[in-house]
Amino acid sequence: MKTLLSRIAYFLLIPAFTLVSCIKDDFDEPPQRTIPVGSLKTIAELKTLYQGQAIKIAEDWSVYGVITMDERNGNIYKNAYLQDKTGAINLRLIASGGLYQGDSIRLYLKGTILSNYAGVIQIDSVNVDENVIKQATLVNTEPEKVSIQDILTGFYQSRLIRLDSVQFKASEIGNTYADPINLYSQNRILQDCNNNEIIVRTSGYANFAGEPVPTGNGSLVAIVSEYNGDMQLYIRSLAETQLTGERCGGSGNQELITIAALRNLFTGSTITIPDNKKIKGVIISDKDNSNITSRNAFIMDGSGSGIALRFTASNTFPMGAEVEINVSGLELSQFQGLLQVNNIPNDNAFYVAQGTMPQPLVVTIDDIMDDFEEFEAKLVRINNCTMTSTAGNVYSSNPTLNDGTGTIVLYTTSYATFANQTFPTAPVHITGIVSQYNTAQINIRNLNDVVLAK
């Protein structure tokens, strides 16, 4: 019996030993991806090979470099920028992703195409899986400190650069970098303190497209690109746009005069403003709600006076912006009774800072009508008035304001964002700008200017 049990145990153990003997204790490693190195090239050497015709690279060549800009912020797509000690070049990718800022890579060039797009020399048809071996990550590349004039030479194409003492042009203030709603790319003009200018190009897909351009002066880090001869910059991150200092420039060294003094120059007929004169004040109108065309604005200064401004093109100054305007040699005239500085070149107006909105003067309608010229182009508040209209009960019907001391028209253009809004019939407090079009009128800026009286 004991012998029988021993034999049974022996035969039961055979499969176990067989199974163990079939299990390998040294696993096969996955095959290593091998991409030939071949001959090494620098970026400078590659760029000199391009002589006007695209070249499909058939040789076993490689180039080493660091990725200085990737696609993650949405400002570029299926693109990256590669830089080494000799220069930089744009990479056009077959598929999005796979390369990140700070990646140190070896780029195998066989099968790629050396070409030109709108003036930018590029390595096209890069397959990250087939052409790229990463050497390291999070490698920092210091931007080269250059001037706008340096960039305009074309030498720094595709390089990471830093500009100091720059600011967005005054006419750009109030704009966003691009249009994130319609996903349109847009150009904004950057300038230095000598008025040298360069384009900052931003995609509508960029994660900062809807951010307003900064108003101050300072430094900016970007990649240099080009489009049909126009040099332009691509921002990598808003953290690299340190434009918070005091702006340089201004309207010039003209004599600063008050708006009151400017108004006093007018004696009833059109005149040319004397040379060497400028004004400075705060924009009290609101172009964004369109009750005033963007080619117009109203400004008030510390003297308490205001005046209408008519630009030669749309201005971008937001309500509350402090601006300086070179009025030398410009026309001081009336339009339908409203005193204006006419045909102001947009380059004559400079954004200074976001200013303090003047407090509206509390007046009655009788005050305004009794001495209209005293209040023209000023911000006023009329308390406890009612609105009535025989042409409907919306703002664009231009209702009559009545505060018990007199009446005046509340004018609203049909283009205003609130034109078709119903106005309240209960007593209200109205804040607005005193204007005229042959007859006196009040222009509200937005619906925040209408407050129900308690």
Side-chain angles (χ1 to χ4, degrees):
M1 185 65 179
K2 185 175 180 180
T3 301
L4 178 62
L5 291 174
S6 297
R7 290 180 177 180
I8 291 172
Y10 171 77
F11 285 109
L12 288 173
L13 287 171
I14 290 176
F17 282 117
T18 304
L19 180 62
V20 171
S21 66
C22 291
I23 297 176
K24 298 173 65 177
D25 57 4
D26 55 337
F27 296 97
D28 292 333
E29 293 185 0
Q32 293 292 320
R33 184 162 62 104
T34 57
I35 295 178
V37 175
S39 299
L40 296 181
K41 297 289 183 181
T42 66
I43 290 176
E45 289 172 334
L46 286 175
K47 295 179 84 167
T48 59
L49 293 175
Y50 181 79
Q51 298 297 317
Q53 297 294 325
I55 303 170
K56 186 168 184 178
I57 299 175
E59 291 82 358
D60 285 328
W61 291 345
S62 289
V63 61
Y64 285 90
V66 176
I67 299 298
T68 53
M69 185 174 183
D70 60 38
E71 311 165 89
R72 285 178 294 179
N73 72 2
N75 206 13
I76 56 175
Y77 176 63
K78 287 187 178 180
N79 277 260
Y81 285 86
L82 181 70
Q83 185 164 323
D84 68 7
K85 293 181 179 180
T86 69
I89 197 165
N90 176 236
L91 305 183
R92 292 231 168 197
L93 312 178
I94 290 176
S96 183
L99 290 178
Y100 306 102
Q101 184 178 316
D103 285 348
S104 175
I105 68 169
R106 175 169 67 84
L107 178 64
Y108 182 58
L109 295 165
K110 188 173 183 179
T112 63
I113 300 170
L114 187 64
S115 62
N116 180 301
Y117 177 76
V120 177
I121 298 177
Q122 61 183 12
I123 301 173
D124 196 4
S125 303
V126 174
N127 185 323
V128 174
D129 292 331
E130 300 297 329
N131 295 108
V132 174
I133 294 291
K134 291 191 180 182
Q135 313 293 308
T137 59
L138 303 178
V139 176
N140 182 52
T141 300
E142 284 295 322
E144 300 174 76
K145 293 183 180 181
V146 298
S147 68
I148 290 178
Q149 288 178 303
D150 292 334
I151 295 171
L152 295 179
T153 67
F155 177 79
Y156 290 91
Q157 185 189 96
S158 298
R159 297 193 189 205
L160 181 68
I161 60 87
R162 170 177 168 152
L163 290 168
D164 290 325
S165 298
V166 291
Q167 61 197 25
F168 282 98
K169 197 171 180 178
S171 58
E172 301 289 8
I173 302 302
N175 287 324
T176 56
Y177 281 96
D179 181 354
I181 305 300
N182 298 301
L183 301 176
Y184 292 153
S185 300
Q186 292 183 330
N187 295 340
R188 299 291 174 229
I189 304 302
L190 191 76
Q191 63 180 185
D192 61 21
C193 293
N194 295 314
N195 292 323
N196 297 303
E197 298 179 355
I198 192 167
I199 293 167
V200 174
R201 178 75 171 173
T202 304
S203 167
Y205 291 88
N207 59 14
F208 56 89
E211 294 295 321
V213 298
T215 60
N217 184 285
S219 67
L220 179 143
V221 173
I223 292 287
V224 176
S225 187
E226 183 175 348
Y227 188 78
N228 291 335
D230 290 328
M231 303 308 296
Q232 55 188 25
L233 304 177
Y234 285 123
I235 292 173
R236 303 190 301 179
S237 165
L238 289 190
E240 294 181 326
T241 57
Q242 299 296 313
L243 305 178
T244 58
E246 183 177 349
R247 291 177 67 88
C248 62
S251 57
N253 296 319
Q254 299 86 15
E255 176 191 357
L256 179 64
I257 62 173
T258 66
I259 292 176
L262 178 64
R263 292 183 66 92
N264 287 336
L265 294 174
F266 186 78
T267 58
S269 58
T270 299
I271 68 164
T272 297
I273 300 170
D275 288 339
N276 196 38
K277 298 292 184 286
K278 66 180 178 182
I279 59 173
K280 184 178 182 179
V282 174
I283 299 295
I284 60 171
S285 50
D286 179 9
K287 66 176 180 60
D288 292 334
N289 281 279
S290 302
N291 200 24
I292 181 172
T293 172
S294 61
R295 290 184 62 172
N296 297 341
F298 284 89
I299 186 173
M300 284 183 67
D301 70 1
S303 73
S305 291
I307 198 165
L309 307 173
R310 299 196 188 275
F311 295 93
T312 56
S314 294
N315 81 89
T316 58
F317 297 128
M319 185 167 64
E322 184 180 20
V323 298
E324 201 171 90
I325 303 170
N326 178 2
V327 295
S328 303
L330 298 183
E331 175 187 304
L332 186 65
S333 61
Q334 283 186 333
F335 177 75
Q336 306 299 338
L338 178 66
L339 188 62
Q340 61 180 7
V341 181
N342 197 24
N343 295 324
I344 304 170
N346 287 58
D347 286 343
N348 277 36
F350 297 85
Y351 179 93
V352 177
Q354 197 63 18
T356 301
M357 185 67 66
Q359 289 297 311
L361 300 171
V362 180
V363 297
T364 66
I365 294 175
D366 181 62
D367 292 334
I368 296 172
M369 303 306 290
D370 186 54
D371 191 1
F372 180 82
E373 297 300 326
E374 169 64 24
F375 296 101
E376 184 185 71
K378 292 182 180 180
L379 191 63
V380 301
R381 176 180 167 116
I382 305 170
N383 289 327
N384 298 304
C385 51
T386 56
M387 287 184 271
T388 57
S389 173
T390 59
N393 60 349
V394 295
Y395 283 96
S396 59
S397 69
N398 300 325
T400 298
L401 288 181
N402 188 330
D403 70 346
T405 72
T407 61
I408 192 171
V409 172
L410 182 72
Y411 178 76
T412 301
T413 175
S414 60
Y415 297 104
T417 58
F418 51 88
N420 295 317
Q421 295 289 316
T422 301
F423 61 74
T425 56
V428 293
H429 306 313
I430 293 285
T431 299
I433 299 168
V434 178
S435 184
Q436 67 172 311
Y437 188 87
N438 294 324
T439 59
Q441 60 186 28
I442 298 291
N443 301 142
I444 62 171
R445 300 160 302 171
N446 51 60
L447 292 185
N448 292 328
D449 282 341
V450 181
V451 178
L452 287 174
K454 294 182 180 179

